[in-house]
Amino acid sequence: MSRAEIRITGFGGQGVVLSGHIVGHAYAVNAGHHATMIQSFGPEARGSACSTMLSISEEEVLYPYIRRPDIFVVMSSEGYEKYCDELKDDGTLIYEKDLVEPQPKKGQKAFGVPSTRIAESLGRTIVQNIVMVGFFTGVTGIVSREDMRKAVEASVPSGTEELNLKAFDAGWDYYQTEYGEGGDSKDEEPQEKAEEEGKEDR
Amino acid sequence: MKFWRKPLDYDKVSVPHGTVTIIKDRCKGCGFCVEYCPKDVLVMSEGFNKKGYHPPEVVKEGECVNCNLCEMICPDFAIFSVAIPEDEAPENEEEASEEGELDDED
Amino acid sequence: MSNVKQKVRAEEAEHPIAPYLRMDRIPHIWCPTCGIGTVVKCYATALEEAEVDLDKTAIISGIGCTGRVAGYMKLDAFHTTHGRAIPFGTGLKLGRPELNVTVFSGDGDLVGIGGNHFIHAARRNIDLLVILVNNFIYAMTGGQNAPTTPLVARSSTMPFGNYEAPFNIPNLAKCCGATYVARWTCLHIRRVTKAFREALGKKGFRVIEVITPCATLYSRLNKLGTGLDLMKFYHDEADICHGADTRDVEIDFQSRIVCGKFVDEEKPTFSERREEHYRNKLGDDFVGMPSEGGWLHE
Amino acid sequence: MKTDPAGVLTGTHYFDGDWACGEGAMAAGCRFVAGYPITPSTEVVERISGRFPTMGGTFIQMEDELGSMAAVVGAAWTGTKCMTVTSGPGFSLMMENIGLGAMMETPCVVVNVQRGGPSTGLPTMTGQADIMQARWGSHGDYELISLSPQSPQEAFDLVIEAFNLSELYRVPVMFMMDECVGHMTEKVIIPPAEEIEIVQRKLSDKSPEEYLPYDFEGKEIPEIIRAGDGYRFHTTGLTHDKRGYPVMSAECQEFNVRHLVDKIRQNADDIVRYDEEQIDGADVVVIAYGITARVTRMAIDMAREKGVKVGFMRLIVVWPFPEKRIRELAGNVKGFVVPEINYGQVVLEVERCAAGKSTTVGVPHGGGGVHDPEVILEAIMGAAQ
């Protein structure tokens, strides 16, 4: 992939920036390519429209902004309305099924996941974004499941790794069940493998 | 009202003595040393120093008790006293009254 | 105490303060009867009596008449910007924790333009000795109103008398957390020296206010006579009242000046509190700032 | 000199520019930081305040930026490497003591993560409008050094350079990031401590009797010492002689200020740093710095596709300005194009150096975002005519 642009949007508090950070970390650090993340947010700490932009490339990213995203991840209807027009005509839309009612153009692929509901079923709404990252990984395949899991583990607050990996797997599984070739892929890799990876403190 | 009681060891207590040195040209003539010297050792002189101030002069040589008050209060570092060593004059180990300037003055 | 000095008869005899001053800069710039020089002498005497390591003692001044003090002391001396002596000293103290740092500056500098730094350094209990010389006016710039000018006193910018309430400095210092608070006038040479000596041996944010005469401006604008007249006024109107409630020590125009030591308590300094906190939180992972300064000194 | 391993977080990370800058400072040996929170710079000190307690450094959040900068100048005189971090409004407040730092010849680093201004402006959005302030912001004559990184990796690498330059020239160095670079997250590779070159402060070995703090005759940079070593020196923000004593005269002002200016101007060739790309034979040279340098590359690619011969010059050190190089290019190229996120600052310097021999076209932007590459392209096409 020479260059792909990704926009992730939602409302403040949904962990939009963290999910962008995880995707970028997985692609740049774990997979060894380049990923530039830019964030924009309002001055409010919670509830406002929040958006993060990622430019990923196998070569160094020069222009750090996105213009027509290839992938649009949307976790709030406000964010959808604000940015839906910029998605490429053959772009990929990934959305929160219960919060967003998308009307994708012809040629655009759309994948929905009830990430908030799944997070609730795991006991913590706050991991909704990680469910989304798991689902995103399944849909896009831009990095391996294992590289993304490692990025989740390295990026979430220490002590919450287990819950977050569970959330990640739930998102991944949802994709496999709903859109994949039917296979439940939990047996792929031993989940503890990532632990030896040096933990970053962010 | 104050009562002056003669200490029992009065004959053994020696009064310290000092010599006053005035660095005339550093003086700015404020008069603090003259005003507050407990023994009235100093007066403002009639003469001028280089800068046109009247520096103090010693008028009661031998009366100085080396209390250092002039040295301490002088804002211009222009006056100081040194103790006369014991072999030249009897001296007391005690410092000048800790009660200080407010009571000593006049 | 090395009170017995060698007998010197020569006319060019050197003053005992000489080792503490940059004698090549004396005579100083202060006016006749200005009391700042007296406070400097008391500070030098206190340094001698407290036997502090002069090589490890730094002095910092801001701007103004008293702001010139750092320039005359033979110590590591910093003449900084207006109002910033306290934060400059904070950097110096935290950068090399073994230093003894004295901030020696005026009322306008420390509680006027530098007021915000004063209250926060007190709140944090930064380990600084603050000598605040209060002459009730901005003297170096020509007698403008100061945050300490008493009500009704005249200044060049309050030609009909001051109508702003002044700071009560001991109360300000105490309320913000200073660990040692005293006030004297420069007539109280032995008391001032003793306060300096005592405070040099303590830790924390220590504030000593010294009232000094400004004959050139404050006295002239208010028709109070010479500096000597002001000294006599201090003699008549200074009440020594150790431990007085600092709320009661405000200074009105030409009225009673309550002097004494008002606060003397032990409290952990900024650095002590920081270190203790991190030791509790981080255990052996905590690495304190080396006393001679941060990493990299051959 | 190699750095202290305790400050170096060797490895491959995914950091934003602010964190990378904080890591770079710690790798450079910085062990004292005083600051006041201000968007978008705060992440730098947040990073540092989390790491300092385990490496013998002290962070203090001061009451304001006036105090922060004063504390940094004070700490610099203890020999501890130090830094403060701010953004536009705080940078304005720091100017007073940046001047003091310049006057006292104090090595330290000031990070400004630029946002939109004037006044409170756009706290969370980008700008490059403080770049002239970095040079002229404090009153009086002096010269400082300013650097401008274009990426988180460069924020790490270049802040180390900022510390090195501050030591070499005894000046406060302005580290002029912008919100985009500060909040941009990318891969940052931190090498092992032994591979990082740092300049250690060289304390004078003269005795206290012979040492003079501002004796620069015969050398460009006066030797430095620190408080607490027995020198009992004096320094002041007033015009001073070689002893550091105030002297109020035109002669001393000349002696003092000319030195402050000359020590940078006369060493400009050593300090100046820029990247060049396809300058030879170019008709148009685009000059940019910081985030704008990255945006510009897309416009340059577009222009080359249209057959225009475009060269590119990226300023890494903005002040001192690469006057000599631009004077050389002037006359050989048709035009200079200078995009920057302000209404015309560095472009004026380029125009001055071009001296009418080449046209100079500014591409201003008010801030809050970056240029559309098409706008820069249009300027390039215009300059190529």
Side-chain angles (χ1 to χ4, degrees):
Chain A
M1 195 177 338
S2 63
R3 179 186 166 107
E5 298 181 350
I6 304 168
R7 181 184 288 282
I8 305 173
T9 186
F11 46 79
Q14 272 183 324
V16 169
V17 174
L18 179 63
S19 48
H21 193 274
I22 290 167
V23 172
H25 185 116
Y27 194 78
V29 177
N30 298 349
H33 307 305
H34 297 273
T36 298
M37 185 180 88
I38 301 270
Q39 47 188 295
S40 68
F41 47 83
E44 309 90 337
R46 292 285 177 271
S48 64
C50 182
S51 176
T52 184
M53 296 168 270
L54 273 158
S55 308
I56 61 173
S57 172
E58 281 168 11
E59 281 131 43
E60 204 179 328
V61 175
L62 291 181
Y63 186 72
Y65 290 87
I66 67 168
R67 318 191 95 197
R68 296 291 305 272
D70 299 275
I71 303 166
F72 181 31
V73 182
V74 55
M75 304 191 258
S76 75
S77 57
E78 193 193 342
Y80 179 73
E81 272 144 38
K82 197 167 171 188
Y83 297 112
C84 64
D85 290 341
E86 59 174 42
L87 180 64
K88 273 188 185 160
D89 294 341
D90 60 348
T92 302
L93 176 72
I94 299 171
Y95 61 99
E96 212 296 353
K97 221 172 175 175
D98 293 323
L99 301 179
V100 183
E101 285 176 31
Q103 292 156 311
K105 288 183 205 156
K106 223 175 166 190
Q108 292 178 338
K109 296 174 286 290
F111 301 86
V113 58
S115 49
T116 310
R117 234 179 258 285
I118 293 173
E120 278 171 1
S121 75
L122 294 170
R124 294 290 304 276
T125 322
I126 199 166
V127 296
Q128 179 275 136
N129 60 334
I130 307 297
V131 176
M132 186 58 93
V133 169
F135 183 70
F136 170 95
T137 311
V139 173
T140 64
I142 57 162
V143 293
S144 71
R145 180 185 177 201
E146 205 40 51
D147 278 347
M148 196 69 93
R149 281 184 109 255
K150 273 197 248 171
V152 170
E153 211 176 7
S155 307
V156 298
S158 65
T160 68
E161 291 92 342
E162 202 185 325
L163 174 68
N164 278 291
L165 288 176
K166 223 192 236 176
F168 177 86
D169 289 339
W172 169 273
D173 289 345
Y174 186 86
Y175 171 75
Q176 302 303 334
T177 317
E178 293 294 313
Y179 300 98
E181 279 139 36
D184 178 12
S185 55
K186 262 182 192 159
D187 51 340
E188 254 188 15
E189 291 276 328
Q191 294 175 11
E192 289 77 17
K193 195 183 163 190
E195 272 182 12
E196 67 218 28
E197 182 73 8
K199 273 193 194 124
E200 266 189 71
D201 32 358
R202 180 161 185 170
Chain B
M1 192 177 344
K2 273 184 182 172
F3 294 99
W4 177 249
R5 187 179 60 81
K6 207 177 209 183
L8 293 173
D9 56 351
Y10 183 71
D11 51 334
K12 290 179 199 141
V13 175
S14 56
V15 179
H17 289 277
T19 307
V20 177
T21 303
I22 297 160
I23 304 163
K24 262 196 331 203
D25 287 332
R26 215 181 270 167
C27 174
K28 293 178 183 165
C30 68
F32 292 180
C33 55
V34 175
E35 176 72 22
Y36 294 107
C37 174
K39 294 289 177 185
D40 295 328
V41 170
L42 302 162
V43 295
M44 299 307 278
S45 67
E46 291 295 313
F48 292 101
N49 68 6
K50 270 190 211 158
K51 283 179 290 188
Y53 297 112
H54 294 291
E57 62 183 349
V58 176
V59 288
K60 293 187 194 165
E61 187 92 57
E63 294 271 310
C64 173
V65 293
N66 196 39
C67 71
N68 289 121
L69 202 143
C70 57
E71 174 185 320
M72 292 299 293
I73 209 161
C74 172
D76 297 290
F77 321 124
I79 186 168
F80 61 97
S81 69
V82 289
I84 295 172
E86 279 175 47
D87 54 350
E88 291 181 38
E91 202 201 337
N92 188 346
E93 280 295 295
E94 292 290 313
E95 205 194 345
S97 164
E98 272 290 327
E99 284 309 305
E101 57 287 348
L102 288 173
D103 303 321
D104 290 349
E105 169 265 332
D106 83 45
Chain C
M1 241 182 288
S2 55
N3 235 19
V4 180
K5 286 137 196 154
Q6 286 299 304
K7 190 174 176 181
V8 190
R9 285 215 176 81
E11 187 61 357
E12 64 272 19
E14 206 31 287
H15 195 281
I17 200 176
Y20 299 88
L21 291 190
R22 299 178 191 279
M23 295 311 288
D24 50 350
R25 300 199 64 201
I26 302 296
H28 55 61
I29 63 156
W30 297 309
C31 303
T33 78
C34 169
I36 298 170
T38 304
V39 188
V40 169
K41 170 63 177 135
C42 293
Y43 177 64
T45 306
L47 286 175
E48 185 178 14
E49 292 175 0
E51 295 176 347
V52 298
D53 182 352
L54 299 179
D55 286 350
K56 294 268 183 277
T57 303
I59 184 165
I60 300 149
S61 294
I63 295 296
C65 292
T66 316
R68 291 301 184 109
V69 169
Y72 296 122
M73 295 299 303
K74 185 127 185 70
L75 298 168
D76 287 332
F78 300 90
H79 180 224
T80 64
T81 40
H82 197 18
R84 316 299 165 219
I86 285 175
F88 192 102
T90 300
L92 209 59
K93 179 67 192 175
L94 299 182
R96 189 165 184 178
E98 65 186 348
L99 295 177
N100 314 305
V101 182
T102 299
V103 169
F104 204 134
S105 215
D107 49 311
D109 190 65
L110 291 174
V111 296
I113 187 168
N116 198 32
H117 309 306
F118 183 91
I119 62 177
H120 286 280
R123 172 178 69 78
R124 298 188 181 104
N125 200 22
I126 304 284
D127 190 17
L128 298 173
L129 168 59
V130 177
I131 296 173
L132 188 156
V133 174
N134 181 1
N135 56 10
F136 303 125
I137 209 152
Y138 282 96
M140 184 162 276
T141 49
Q144 296 80 15
N145 217 67
T148 48
T149 307
L151 272 172
V152 314
R154 297 212 311 186
S155 59
S156 69
T157 48
M158 289 279 193
F160 305 101
N162 174 34
Y163 51 81
E164 284 184 12
F167 267 138
N168 168 348
I169 287 168
N171 197 40
L172 178 70
K174 181 197 156 106
C175 291
C176 296
T179 57
Y180 185 100
V181 179
R183 175 199 280 153
W184 299 102
T185 78
C186 76
L187 180 70
H188 298 86
I189 43 177
R190 302 210 193 278
R191 312 270 190 175
V192 174
T193 307
K194 187 179 169 204
F196 289 169
R197 188 178 66 221
E198 195 170 79
L200 280 167
K202 292 179 183 288
K203 282 182 186 165
F205 193 75
R206 296 147 282 161
V207 179
I208 300 170
E209 179 187 15
V210 187
I211 311 286
T212 61
C214 171
T216 305
L217 290 151
Y218 182 70
S219 192
R220 184 171 56 80
L221 289 165
N222 288 289
K223 302 188 169 56
L224 302 176
T226 64
L228 183 56
D229 292 331
L230 279 179
M231 292 289 261
K232 289 177 179 168
F233 170 78
Y234 301 156
H235 175 251
D236 296 340
E237 293 297 330
D239 283 350
I240 297 176
C241 188
H242 291 298
D245 187 331
T246 53
R247 287 172 298 183
D248 302 331
V249 306
E250 73 274 15
I251 297 175
D252 295 326
F253 183 57
Q254 290 303 91
S255 71
R256 191 175 82 112
I257 299 172
V258 181
C259 295
K261 179 167 80 177
F262 306 127
V263 177
D264 185 359
E265 58 187 45
E266 297 231 335
K267 268 198 291 194
T269 64
F270 172 87
S271 301
E272 287 166 347
R273 213 183 269 276
R274 176 180 185 274
E275 175 152 354
E276 193 196 342
H277 179 74
Y278 279 137
R279 285 218 186 281
N280 287 339
K281 293 281 173 191
L282 303 174
D284 292 341
D285 288 342
F286 172 67
V287 181
M289 175 75 107
S291 64
E292 76 279 11
W295 178 72
L296 276 181
H297 300 295
E298 284 111 314
Chain D
M1 172 101 204
K2 309 299 182 227
T3 192
D4 174 16
V8 184
L9 201 67
T10 304
T12 303
H13 307 272
Y14 199 57
F15 279 167
D16 69 12
D18 282 355
W19 279 31
C21 169
E23 286 297 334
M26 292 183 279
C30 175
R31 292 295 180 272
F32 179 80
V33 172
Y36 184 82
I38 184 166
T39 306
S41 74
T42 312
E43 291 89 335
V44 182
V45 291
E46 285 173 351
R47 180 70 185 172
I48 287 171
S49 60
R51 298 242 295 128
F52 259 2
T54 59
M55 63 171 83
T58 299
F59 165 71
I60 181 169
Q61 184 175 314
M62 294 296 285
E63 50 278 4
D64 55 32
E65 288 90 346
L66 299 155
S68 303
M69 191 63 213
V72 163
V73 179
W77 282 98
T78 66
T80 299
K81 288 190 178 182
C82 51
M83 172 171 98
T84 185
V85 181
T86 192
S87 185
F91 199 51
S92 293
L93 290 180
M94 285 180 182
M95 281 304 153
E96 175 194 54
N97 292 298
I98 287 173
L100 180 70
M103 192 58 150
M104 288 183 168
E105 303 195 49
T106 314
C108 57
V109 172
V110 179
V111 176
N112 177 0
V113 186
Q114 295 171 86
R115 62 195 227 185
S119 189
T120 316
L122 286 170
T124 60
M125 300 167 104
T126 201
Q128 291 184 314
D130 306 346
I131 198 75
M132 273 295 179
Q133 191 186 13
R135 177 164 186 180
W136 300 113
S138 198
H139 56 276
D141 279 319
Y142 58 92
E143 288 270 355
L144 299 180
I145 298 171
S146 299
L147 297 88
S148 176
Q150 64 162 355
S151 66
Q153 180 69 53
E154 204 173 57
F156 176 86
D157 297 336
L158 215 52
V159 81
I160 296 172
E161 190 62 27
F163 275 93
N164 289 349
L165 289 166
S166 79
E167 296 295 338
L168 282 171
Y169 295 99
R170 276 188 71 172
V171 282
V173 173
M174 308 292 113
F175 196 64
M176 304 298 286
M177 308 229 292
D178 47 60
E179 185 274 340
C180 281
V181 171
H183 280 168
M184 170 196 290
T185 308
E186 286 187 333
K187 183 159 62 182
V188 175
I189 299 171
I190 300 182
E194 62 272 16
E195 287 174 21
I196 299 174
E197 287 290 334
I198 62 160
V199 175
Q200 169 53 341
R201 186 161 310 173
K202 197 178 172 323
L203 298 173
S204 173
D205 47 22
K206 287 207 169 100
S207 70
E209 292 70 35
E210 58 179 353
Y211 175 77
L212 294 168
Y214 298 100
D215 184 12
F216 44 79
E217 278 164 341
K219 49 182 131 15
E220 284 156 333
I221 313 299
E223 293 177 18
I224 199 165
I225 41 93
R226 58 184 181 141
D229 283 351
Y231 283 84
R232 305 216 218 154
F233 62 98
H234 180 252
T235 180
T236 174
L238 287 169
T239 295
H240 47 264
D241 62 13
K242 61 176 85 164
R243 298 169 301 173
Y245 287 5
V247 178
M248 302 297 99
S249 73
E251 290 74 24
C252 192
Q253 174 76 358
E254 179 69 16
F255 163 87
N256 196 164
V257 173
R258 194 168 68 185
H259 164 68
L260 296 182
V261 168
D262 276 357
K263 71 174 178 178
I264 302 300
R265 285 190 193 164
Q266 293 187 348
N267 289 300
D269 288 348
D270 293 335
I271 304 169
V272 158
R273 233 177 99 187
Y274 48 83
D275 274 347
E276 282 187 355
E277 232 179 76
Q278 299 187 32
I279 295 275
D280 288 342
D283 287 330
V284 175
V285 170
V286 185
I287 299 174
Y289 53 94
I291 186 63
T292 311
R294 289 180 65 169
V295 177
T296 295
R297 283 165 202 272
M298 186 177 260
I300 289 175
D301 286 347
M302 291 164 156
R304 284 180 186 155
E305 275 170 30
K306 290 178 191 287
V308 183
K309 285 194 232 162
V310 193
F312 181 44
M313 182 174 183
R314 180 171 77 90
L315 306 182
I316 300 168
V317 171
V318 181
W319 311 121
F321 195 67
E323 297 196 15
K324 205 194 241 177
R325 181 58 178 153
I326 293 173
R327 283 185 207 284
E328 274 168 19
L329 296 175
N332 293 328
V333 299
K334 284 186 190 160
F336 293 107
V337 172
V338 188
E340 51 186 336
I341 308 174
N342 58 52
Y343 264 88
Q345 297 191 12
V346 166
V347 66
L348 301 176
E349 287 293 288
V350 175
E351 191 170 41
R352 180 174 67 82
C353 299
K357 292 180 199 158
S358 301
T359 57
T360 304
V361 182
V363 192
H365 188 301
V370 295
H371 293 76
D372 280 334
E374 286 77 8
V375 177
I376 303 172
L377 174 66
E378 206 175 306
I380 294 171
M381 300 309 286
Q385 297 302 305

